[in-house]
Amino acid sequence: MTPRARIGVGLVGFGTVGAGVVKIFQTNAALIRRRVGVPVELVRIADVDLKRDRGVEVPAGLLTNDYQAVLSDPAVDIVLELVGGYDIAKKVILGAIAKGKSVVTANKALLAAHGEEIYEAAVRARVDLDFEASVGGGIPVIRALTEGLAGNTILSIYGIINGTSNYILSRMTKEGHSFQDVLGEAQRAGYAEADPTFDVAGIDSAHKLAIMVSLAYGTPVNVKDVYTEGITRIAPLDISYAKEFGYTIKLLGIAKFTNGDIDARVHPTMIPATSPIAQVEGVYNAIQLVGDAVEDIVLYGRGAGSMPTGSAVVSDVIAIARNLLLGATGRVPPASFKQDERRPIRIRPMEQVRSLYYIRFMVLDRPGVLSQIAGVLGNHGISISSVIQQGRKEGQTVPVVIMTHTAGERNVQSALREIDGMPFISEPTTLIRVEGQDE
Amino acid sequence: MTPRARIGVGLVGFGTVGAGVVKIFQTNAALIRRRVGVPVELVRIADVDLKRDRGVEVPAGLLTNDYQAVLSDPAVDIVLELVGGYDIAKKVILGAIAKGKSVVTANKALLAAHGEEIYEAAVRARVDLDFEASVGGGIPVIRALTEGLAGNTILSIYGIINGTSNYILSRMTKEGHSFQDVLGEAQRAGYAEADPTFDVAGIDSAHKLAIMVSLAYGTPVNVKDVYTEGITRIAPLDISYAKEFGYTIKLLGIAKFTNGDIDARVHPTMIPATSPIAQVEGVYNAIQLVGDAVEDIVLYGRGAGSMPTGSAVVSDVIAIARNLLLGATGRVPPASFKQDERRPIRIRPMEQVRSLYYIRFMVLDRPGVLSQIAGVLGNHGISISSVIQQGRKEGQTVPVVIMTHTAGERNVQSALREIDGMPFISEPTTLIRVEGQDE
């Protein structure tokens, strides 16, 4: 093996994150060289739009609008796929791997959908495939799962992993405004997309959770098995009841390992207001990992943005450069476990999950309503830990709020179906799962 | 290179952390094998005391009271130095390196004092020397500095890195008790040593800060250059004034990179009560890292204990095992920068540091005192942002509390010397540095 004089990096997709990466390579070139031992240089950049101003200067000779030119450039050792989306991104990644190049991607949607095929290709080619930027922006959470906590059986993951949703819920909590109002503001401020579905419906969180579960447990995950519910139905009323009970509502990606199965689900969740992740506000992300040895760890930081996400991409480039210099690519398999040591673990179907529940019924206020509701819950084996029934207004619609002890999702859902058919129910019932101590 | 059938680990020092490591290797053997590809096995354990019950069973044949037997065992690829202290620990590490074995240690005191010599030996022998457990127990903060944030210029580090001090300050804050009272309770509860000096005087924090600075900036650090002040003089009165101003008092290890120099200091610090690390209570540790790309990151978790610290040790073993299997030891140099790329950076002498200050004078309450104090401060170029002078009691001792705008440490110290000589000063003056916005 002749010593390499430098490591060449090719960038495909010169968007927001790409511009951050370019800026970091420019600003911190000396620092990176001092860590790696040789210069790490951007030698080729492909994008369909070569005219737009990204706020960074690059020599015109580096630019091309043909990503194949990046893949086939012999000076390129590492390809950065920052195109996003499914189709071209996948071609870029598999094309780079086929040419024996290592790959860095931030593409959680692609990994959640086609991770298995891509991992397999990378392992077969013995190249590196790293994706620190795919979850939690600049937070080194992928590394925590694959390396820092590698000796732990992960017992649970609680992740605030979508900045847009957390921004909206934080503002709703602080200001008491409705989801729609805050969403509108967030869109005007650039914190939410024109079509915010991916973020507020929990889909983006589900992708990220699927990746984390796959790395934590050495199991392939079909993202379709991840129960996914967004924040669009959370009302200011629920937020103020949560406060009253000592909880904060967050959109969480939750994984729990119990009895050989895994819970993997994304939904709004009430968590104790004093817990570290309840304090995470605005566009910040945080991931709590509980391992059997390390106990509870929280990693907190900016979950998106040009420079933070760029930081994660560059950390992967440095890791791969260090491998390339020693002929050690494939050192940590993309899925963290050896490919032939991965075992399918069952994701527990949502109806088999057990949880504490907050249930808000909107009822016509008349005598006997609470006893009928309590009766149905009791018949389904659901035991009530507290009830709030405030501001009685005979004949009008009022909230009846119930907190349950630990109950089965299936029982809760069938009880709700039964109650929702009763004549005194005047609006759809709101159900929020609660993580806390069952007292 | 013939493929290795297993990785052999030798443990020297079968104490609290050693027992945690043994337990993790026993519980998670299959998991570790699935990640590494071959079994990683404890093949030798040395300790002077082979009789004590550590709560874990090990085959008697593994035990020896001669650490040389571990170093010279050809089945041992990786030596864990968990003896602690300076003398024997250093012999174990250098002895292992001399035999071409990689080393994992949790010994911050040794690394802070003799890190340079040990790093140099490891690099020369091209073995790995990893020490994730030396800072923040199970929190993967060393990896964050050497890998996860490797593309960043680190702008600042704020670390709550001593659990004993944080436990004491948290209880003082919650209960209003004195340092001495809480220390006594902490000692009875096993959260503080019989001789707590190392922890409460900030020495342990200084060791850990020195290690982090060395990794963040690629510079050798002489721990004697780290200004170190403990929490023994913090009074309940200061804690309640801090609250009044919106601050919380924490013992922080602080590093800041400005104008080519580094601040590196350990002292009690007032930080905004709303900042994420202000929420860190009890024996927990947290480290805030600010990088030029990633912006602010916080890593939080248990800073000590058998299993959390054991988790960090095992993560290092796994990293080294992955290197050994590919002949890639030395992949990340112990100091994170290539040994010949390290550059001495000056640690700014404390008297050149600039900060906001909280100063509590205890004065005999008589007319004109405040104007005299303000006059001296003004003469030293120190500008006052607020004053609290409560509960006037003519002729008795009362507190006068002053918050300053940004001022130079040298000026503050000479102003205090001058004021402390004045006849109305009746008790030693308390100075606490403040991190926050200068408004």
Side-chain angles (χ1 to χ4, degrees):
Chain A
M1 191 173 59
T2 50
R4 288 166 192 258
R6 72 161 182 193
I7 301 291
V9 178
L11 167 62
V12 182
F14 194 10
T16 311
V17 176
V21 169
V22 170
K23 205 167 160 193
I24 295 168
F25 275 117
Q26 290 175 350
T27 315
N28 290 331
L31 174 93
I32 294 167
R33 184 186 44 70
R34 291 174 58 206
R35 287 196 190 268
V36 172
V38 302
V40 179
E41 287 171 6
L42 269 170
V43 294
R44 218 72 205 269
I45 300 175
D47 198 282
V48 285
D49 174 0
L50 298 180
K51 302 232 169 87
R52 190 157 53 86
D53 179 16
R54 276 96 171 170
V56 284
E57 292 278 328
V58 289
L62 262 56
L63 295 167
T64 170
N65 49 28
D66 176 14
Y67 75 80
Q68 291 290 0
V70 175
L71 305 193
S72 56
D73 187 334
V76 169
D77 302 296
I78 305 172
V79 172
L80 316 185
E81 181 282 297
L82 300 176
V83 181
Y86 296 94
D87 194 37
I88 295 176
K90 192 175 166 193
K91 284 184 189 149
V92 170
I93 293 176
L94 293 178
I97 291 172
K99 292 198 185 292
K101 297 182 196 296
S102 287
V103 172
V104 177
T105 177
N107 195 330
K108 49 254 176 191
L110 179 66
L111 290 175
H114 301 287
E116 291 305 314
E117 180 185 350
I118 294 169
Y119 296 169
E120 184 65 39
V123 170
R124 233 182 303 115
R126 248 203 71 187
V127 298
D128 279 327
L129 170 76
D130 283 1
F131 41 86
E132 183 63 78
S134 66
V135 182
I139 304 169
V141 60
I142 298 292
R143 249 177 207 89
L145 288 166
T146 60
E147 307 214 49
L149 272 55
N152 285 260
T153 299
I154 301 296
L155 304 177
S156 63
I157 301 173
Y158 290 84
I160 298 173
I161 43 185
N162 182 270
T164 303
S165 298
N166 200 54
Y167 174 85
I168 292 172
L169 285 176
S170 299
R171 297 218 37 189
M172 288 176 70
T173 303
K174 197 166 278 174
E175 294 156 18
H177 297 164
S178 74
F179 171 78
Q180 281 304 337
D181 287 354
V182 177
L183 173 62
E185 286 172 53
Q187 284 169 322
R188 284 187 292 279
Y191 291 128
E193 308 276 344
D195 177 0
T197 315
F198 230 61
D199 295 312
V200 301
I203 302 166
D204 175 67
S205 295
H207 290 157
K208 292 166 177 169
L209 182 69
I211 292 171
M212 290 196 287
V213 167
S214 156
L215 300 179
Y217 302 105
T219 183
V221 174
N222 187 336
V223 73
K224 294 195 185 79
D225 293 337
V226 176
Y227 172 83
T228 304
E229 180 186 317
I231 60 169
T232 52
R233 290 185 53 201
I234 301 295
L237 196 55
D238 301 312
I239 288 176
S240 61
Y241 279 119
K243 271 186 205 163
E244 211 164 306
F245 285 112
Y247 291 106
T248 301
I249 301 179
K250 293 289 182 188
L251 180 66
L252 290 192
I254 299 177
K256 290 187 199 181
F257 184 63
T258 38
N259 305 323
D261 286 352
I262 305 171
D263 277 16
R265 43 195 167 97
V266 172
H267 51 67
T269 313
M270 290 193 186
I271 53 175
T274 53
S275 76
I277 58 172
Q279 326 297 324
V280 175
E281 298 205 349
V283 296
Y284 280 89
N285 280 199
I287 301 102
Q288 184 193 63
L289 304 171
V290 180
D292 63 343
V294 77
E295 303 184 35
D296 52 324
I297 289 277
V298 178
L299 310 175
Y300 166 98
R302 290 177 187 272
S306 171
M307 296 296 282
T309 310
S311 166
V313 170
V314 173
S315 77
D316 283 346
V317 171
I318 291 173
I320 296 172
R322 283 167 161 167
N323 287 345
L324 283 167
L325 291 170
L326 292 169
T329 51
R331 179 182 168 274
V332 180
S336 174
F337 288 71
K338 289 282 172 183
Q339 197 68 3
D340 55 0
E341 292 284 358
R342 301 179 75 218
R343 309 266 178 274
I345 305 183
R346 193 180 80 126
I347 307 260
R348 191 176 284 114
M350 192 61 195
E351 56 171 26
Q352 291 175 22
V353 162
R354 295 179 64 75
S355 180
L356 305 174
Y357 293 86
Y358 158 98
I359 311 171
R360 174 171 57 83
F361 300 99
M362 296 303 285
V363 303
L364 291 176
D365 189 14
R366 54 194 198 204
V369 163
L370 180 58
S371 93
Q372 288 181 69
I373 289 175
V376 175
L377 293 176
N379 290 341
H380 287 81
I382 299 155
S383 135
I384 294 172
S385 73
S386 52
V387 175
I388 298 182
Q389 200 180 9
Q390 281 164 337
R392 308 215 51 182
K393 293 174 192 164
E394 185 87 20
Q396 287 188 275
T397 293
V398 294
V400 169
V401 170
I402 285 177
M403 298 290 274
T404 74
H405 288 293
T406 300
E409 178 84 16
R410 188 202 317 258
N411 294 354
V412 170
Q413 294 294 355
S414 40
L416 289 201
R417 270 192 301 276
E418 192 173 329
I419 295 167
D420 278 351
M422 291 179 157
F424 56 77
I425 292 289
S426 57
E427 287 177 26
T429 297
T430 296
L431 174 82
I432 301 177
R433 292 161 197 95
V434 180
E435 290 288 319
Q437 291 292 104
D438 191 358
E439 282 135 12
Chain B
M1 191 173 60
T2 50
R4 287 165 193 257
R6 72 162 180 191
I7 300 290
V9 178
L11 167 62
V12 182
F14 194 10
T16 310
V17 177
V21 169
V22 171
K23 204 168 160 191
I24 296 167
F25 275 117
Q26 290 176 350
T27 315
N28 290 332
L31 173 94
I32 293 168
R33 184 186 44 69
R34 291 174 59 208
R35 289 197 189 267
V36 172
V38 301
V40 180
E41 288 172 7
L42 269 170
V43 294
R44 218 73 205 269
I45 300 176
D47 199 281
V48 285
D49 173 0
L50 298 178
K51 301 229 167 90
R52 190 157 54 85
D53 179 15
R54 276 98 171 167
V56 284
E57 292 276 328
V58 289
L62 262 56
L63 296 167
T64 170
N65 49 28
D66 176 15
Y67 75 79
Q68 291 288 359
V70 176
L71 304 194
S72 56
D73 187 334
V76 170
D77 301 297
I78 305 172
V79 172
L80 316 186
E81 182 282 295
L82 299 176
V83 181
Y86 296 92
D87 193 38
I88 295 176
K90 193 176 165 192
K91 283 183 189 151
V92 169
I93 293 176
L94 293 179
I97 292 172
K99 291 197 185 295
K101 297 182 195 298
S102 287
V103 172
V104 177
T105 177
N107 195 332
K108 51 254 177 190
L110 179 66
L111 291 174
H114 301 286
E116 290 306 314
E117 180 186 349
I118 295 169
Y119 296 169
E120 183 65 39
V123 170
R124 235 182 302 117
R126 245 201 76 186
V127 298
D128 279 327
L129 170 75
D130 283 1
F131 41 87
E132 183 63 77
S134 66
V135 182
I139 305 168
V141 60
I142 298 291
R143 249 177 207 88
L145 288 166
T146 60
E147 307 214 50
L149 272 54
N152 285 259
T153 298
I154 301 297
L155 304 177
S156 63
I157 301 173
Y158 290 84
I160 297 172
I161 43 184
N162 182 270
T164 304
S165 297
N166 200 54
Y167 174 84
I168 292 172
L169 285 176
S170 298
R171 297 218 37 190
M172 287 176 70
T173 303
K174 199 166 276 173
E175 294 155 18
H177 296 165
S178 74
F179 171 77
Q180 281 304 337
D181 287 354
V182 177
L183 173 62
E185 286 172 54
Q187 284 170 320
R188 285 186 293 278
Y191 290 129
E193 306 278 343
D195 177 359
T197 314
F198 230 61
D199 296 312
V200 300
I203 302 167
D204 175 68
S205 295
H207 290 157
K208 293 165 177 168
L209 182 68
I211 292 170
M212 290 196 287
V213 167
S214 155
L215 301 179
Y217 300 105
T219 183
V221 174
N222 186 336
V223 73
K224 295 194 184 79
D225 293 338
V226 177
Y227 172 83
T228 305
E229 180 186 317
I231 61 169
T232 53
R233 290 186 53 200
I234 301 295
L237 196 56
D238 301 312
I239 289 177
S240 62
Y241 279 119
K243 271 186 205 164
E244 210 164 307
F245 285 112
Y247 291 107
T248 301
I249 301 179
K250 293 288 184 190
L251 180 66
L252 289 192
I254 299 178
K256 290 188 198 179
F257 184 63
T258 38
N259 304 322
D261 286 351
I262 307 171
D263 277 16
R265 43 194 167 100
V266 172
H267 51 66
T269 313
M270 290 194 186
I271 53 176
T274 53
S275 77
I277 57 170
Q279 326 297 324
V280 175
E281 298 204 349
V283 296
Y284 280 88
N285 281 198
I287 300 101
Q288 184 192 64
L289 303 171
V290 180
D292 63 344
V294 76
E295 302 184 36
D296 53 323
I297 290 277
V298 179
L299 310 175
Y300 166 98
R302 291 176 189 270
S306 170
M307 296 296 282
T309 310
S311 166
V313 170
V314 173
S315 77
D316 283 345
V317 170
I318 292 173
I320 296 172
R322 284 166 162 167
N323 287 346
L324 283 167
L325 291 170
L326 292 168
T329 52
R331 179 182 168 274
V332 179
S336 175
F337 288 71
K338 289 282 172 184
Q339 196 67 3
D340 56 359
E341 291 286 359
R342 301 178 75 217
R343 307 267 179 274
I345 305 182
R346 193 180 79 127
I347 307 257
R348 191 176 285 113
M350 192 62 195
E351 56 172 25
Q352 291 175 22
V353 161
R354 294 178 65 75
S355 179
L356 306 174
Y357 293 86
Y358 158 97
I359 312 171
R360 173 172 56 84
F361 300 99
M362 295 304 284
V363 304
L364 290 176
D365 189 14
R366 52 193 199 205
V369 163
L370 180 58
S371 93
Q372 287 181 69
I373 289 175
V376 175
L377 293 175
N379 290 342
H380 288 81
I382 300 155
S383 132
I384 295 172
S385 74
S386 52
V387 175
I388 298 183
Q389 198 181 10
Q390 280 165 337
R392 307 213 52 180
K393 292 174 191 163
E394 185 86 18
Q396 287 187 277
T397 293
V398 294
V400 170
V401 171
I402 285 177
M403 298 291 276
T404 74
H405 288 294
T406 299
E409 178 85 15
R410 190 202 317 258
N411 293 355
V412 171
Q413 294 293 354
S414 41
L416 290 200
R417 270 193 302 275
E418 190 173 330
I419 295 167
D420 278 351
M422 290 179 156
F424 55 77
I425 292 289
S426 58
E427 287 177 27
T429 297
T430 297
L431 173 83
I432 302 177
R433 294 162 195 92
V434 180
E435 291 288 320
Q437 291 292 103
D438 191 358
E439 279 135 13

